[in-house]
Amino acid sequence: MKALIKLARGLIYGLAGLGLLLWLGVVLSRSVTLPDGLAMRAPPRLLEDPQLLVDTTFINEAGERQSDQQIFDAIFALLEQARELIVLDLFLFNHFAGPEPETTRDITTELTEQLIAARAANPQLQVILITDPINTVYGGQPAPHLDRLREAGVDVVITNLTALRDSNPSYSGLWRWTARWFGNSEQGGWLPNALGEGKITLRSYLRLLNFKANHRKTVVADNGQGQLQAIVTSANPHSDSSAHSNIALQFAGPATHDLLRSEQAVLDFSSNTVRIPKRWLTPQDATPAPAATQPQIEVLTEQAIKREVLSRLAATAAGDSVDLAMFYLADRDIIQALIAAQQRGAAVRVLLDPNRDAFGREKQGVPARPVAAELVAGGVDVRWCDTHGEQCHFKVLIVRQPDRVHAVLGSANFTRRNLDNYNLETDVAVHLPADAALAQSLTGWFNGLWNPPTEREFSVPYAVYADERNHLRWAYRFMEATGWSSF
């Protein structure tokens, strides 16, 4: 009996000690302050030279998968013009492939060769590439394409994720105390690489479990005549992602300088030496605020994206329409705002990826399917992208009112991690007269996905992938609330 009491006492003390460690870890995680310059909302600027760019993968009448692509062709055209400055901030930039590698396009190699060629043709050209440590498996593997870029004179900056707030506080606080100080080794390790080929260290997996990222996808380059052009997108230069459906906006004008300032903020805490020349960070000429009736653009990062989305949804009324195409939708505030807009009389349509395809691996449908069930129960019309190995990787909200169209698009999924100042994200918000060419393009694009022509099978009704099982709903709610998830 005494032995049992002693064992029980030991278990109680052990659990109490573990609870104390977890509590201290959470406290330490929450003590991390957001670096300066993040959660940026730039002033409204006149939208100049906008162009909607879309990659779409679909099934044709013969039952074959086809892919129409515009985004990286436009990016490469931008890079070819540059003579003074190129700044890229790109999340997935690697050759990692799943068990069924995608063969649509080797975008990783294409972009690598393009940047090397740009430097060779213009040795005075400054090229800055900011990327995420996932591309070196958090320091656990070499990245030969990044080494080639460094050799060509490209300033390659790996984002310092430890400067960011922790989305997974019950783990990350303890990691900061312990495993963080052991660093990592590019010589590899003894564990299989879940992201691709080769072996990696345990330290790589311990870093991965922080579940944080520089998830931005931006390109800024001069046009050879002293002006800047930019692209903000949802697309990654990742070969195994080359068939994904994505969206982008290309634009010029003062907002390009705002975009560069948002990137300088990342350089400030990720590099001691690489900086964007100050003359590029502000427009050369004073730029008055655009008139309310003119096309406008705002650069948004991190939580500023969520504030804009919630503001636009809250302002909807009967007669307005809301269209959302999203890869991951999980943020509780936005889900409730979509349902509230529908109940106020706005026509809300949500097009979701079914969250089943992940680079040759099949997923369980979280968070999309339990979230879709909740939306449908609230009266929202939901359809699914009919994926066939690829992902429906769009991240765009369109709000149409009688005289104006508002859209928010870019890198951010609508999840807690993407919108609550954990990941690094970049979107743009555009505000347009209802008859503007870009407004018409956005409306036509979404309508074509929602009601695809017979020669292009793209979306299917809610019932096709509906899954209303309780365990999925509770799994999603737990993962979204705690940060123990990849979304």
Side-chain angles (χ1 to χ4, degrees):
M1 186 64 180
K2 289 182 178 180
L4 287 175
I5 293 173
K6 186 176 181 180
L7 177 62
R9 185 178 297 148
L11 286 173
I12 291 170
Y13 289 158
L15 289 172
L18 179 60
L20 178 61
L21 283 174
L22 289 174
W23 177 77
L24 289 172
V26 170
V27 169
L28 183 60
S29 288
R30 289 179 175 171
S31 70
V32 178
T33 57
L34 194 69
D36 292 341
L38 302 188
M40 168 186 176
R41 179 170 195 148
R45 307 291 193 184
L46 183 66
L47 177 60
E48 298 184 21
D49 302 327
Q51 183 178 354
L52 184 67
L53 305 168
V54 179
D55 292 348
T56 308
T57 295
F58 59 93
I59 301 299
N60 65 15
E61 289 181 288
E64 302 165 330
R65 196 181 73 163
Q66 302 289 310
S67 188
D68 288 344
Q69 299 197 342
Q70 300 176 340
I71 295 172
F72 275 95
D73 291 340
I75 289 174
F76 295 151
L78 240 61
L79 301 183
E80 286 178 1
Q81 296 177 8
R83 297 294 179 269
E84 298 181 67
L85 180 70
I86 295 173
V87 178
L88 311 97
D89 192 344
L90 300 166
F91 171 48
L92 289 182
F93 184 23
N94 60 62
H95 287 99
F96 299 154
E100 298 177 17
E102 182 58 59
T103 60
T104 297
R105 190 172 180 181
D106 187 359
I107 299 177
T108 306
T109 297
E110 286 186 55
L111 180 57
T112 302
E113 297 297 339
Q114 180 89 19
L115 293 174
I116 291 172
R119 280 281 303 158
N122 300 283
Q124 77 284 359
L125 175 66
Q126 183 179 13
V127 182
I128 300 172
L129 169 66
I130 306 168
T131 193
D132 189 85
I134 194 173
N135 298 300
T136 63
V137 200
Y138 305 97
Q141 263 193 359
H145 64 297
L146 297 182
D147 292 336
R148 288 186 62 208
L149 290 172
R150 291 187 183 99
E151 292 167 2
V154 174
D155 293 319
V156 178
V157 176
I158 305 297
T159 308
N160 175 20
L161 297 183
T162 58
L164 303 180
R165 297 171 66 240
D166 296 324
S167 66
N168 188 12
S170 65
Y171 172 81
S172 293
L174 297 177
W175 175 86
R176 286 177 181 274
W177 280 0
T178 55
R180 171 188 178 183
W181 305 108
F182 291 95
N184 210 339
S185 171
E186 284 192 349
Q187 302 308 310
W190 55 278
L191 293 173
N193 178 8
L195 302 176
E197 296 180 350
K199 301 288 187 179
I200 60 173
T201 64
L202 175 61
R203 288 166 287 175
S204 288
Y205 281 109
L206 293 176
R207 282 182 178 267
L208 181 151
L209 289 174
N210 288 296
F211 295 128
K212 63 172 67 175
N214 177 355
H215 196 244
R216 294 181 177 186
K217 302 155 184 67
T218 66
V219 179
V220 186
D222 76 275
N223 66 355
Q225 299 175 2
Q227 288 86 40
L228 297 173
Q229 293 184 306
I231 293 176
V232 171
T233 182
S234 64
N236 290 297
H238 172 225
S239 298
D240 221 33
S241 300
S242 59
H244 291 4
S245 294
N246 280 293
I247 194 166
L249 184 70
Q250 181 173 331
F251 57 94
T256 59
H257 301 276
D258 296 330
L259 193 56
L260 284 182
R261 284 200 302 279
S262 75
E263 296 304 337
Q264 183 56 60
V266 181
L267 291 172
D268 286 343
F269 63 81
S270 297
S271 172
N272 293 324
T273 58
V274 179
R275 295 292 181 268
I276 299 168
K278 288 184 179 180
R279 70 186 186 89
W280 293 109
L281 298 179
T282 55
Q284 293 180 353
D285 302 319
T287 54
T293 56
Q294 290 180 296
Q296 300 179 15
I297 182 170
E298 298 170 273
V299 174
L300 309 171
T301 71
E302 291 78 54
Q303 199 172 61
I305 301 168
K306 180 173 179 176
R307 295 191 190 104
E308 171 65 15
V309 168
L310 291 177
S311 174
R312 290 299 160 196
L313 291 175
T316 56
D320 297 340
S321 65
V322 176
D323 293 331
L324 176 67
M326 189 59 53
F327 178 55
Y328 281 144
L329 173 61
D331 183 87
R332 298 304 308 159
D333 294 332
I334 291 179
I335 292 165
Q336 291 163 7
L338 289 166
I339 294 171
Q342 176 72 34
Q343 293 175 347
R344 286 194 303 272
V348 181
R349 300 185 295 183
V350 175
L351 178 66
L352 294 175
D353 181 275
N355 294 170
R356 70 169 184 171
D357 295 305
F359 308 110
R361 302 176 180 88
E362 187 168 341
K363 299 194 298 183
Q364 300 260 331
V366 176
R369 301 189 201 190
V371 168
E374 184 176 355
L375 292 172
V376 169
V380 173
D381 203 357
V382 174
R383 284 179 69 87
W384 305 103
C385 301
D386 190 17
T387 56
H388 295 80
E390 79 287 351
Q391 294 174 350
C392 188
H393 205 243
F394 301 126
K395 303 153 198 321
V396 57
L397 172 74
I398 306 167
V399 176
R400 292 194 300 276
Q401 296 174 313
D403 58 345
R404 298 285 281 180
V405 172
H406 309 275
V408 180
L409 64 90
S411 71
N413 291 295
F414 286 1
T415 73
R416 165 183 170 271
R417 177 169 291 120
N418 294 133
L419 297 178
D420 281 349
N421 286 342
Y422 297 115
N423 276 3
L424 296 178
E425 304 286 351
T426 301
D427 275 27
V428 290
V430 294
H431 315 290
L432 310 161
D435 59 355
L438 180 58
Q440 298 298 312
S441 294
L442 285 163
T443 299
W445 165 75
F446 191 90
N447 286 340
L449 301 182
W450 193 262
N451 296 302
T454 55
E455 67 273 15
R456 286 192 174 210
E457 177 189 322
F458 186 85
S459 66
V460 293
Y462 167 73
V464 173
Y465 291 116
D467 192 336
E468 300 175 359
R469 291 177 293 174
N470 281 334
H471 80 273
L472 286 185
R473 177 166 60 94
W474 289 114
Y476 142 64
R477 295 293 288 268
F478 172 81
M479 289 188 283
E480 175 73 357
T482 62
W484 277 99
S485 73
S486 60
F487 58 80

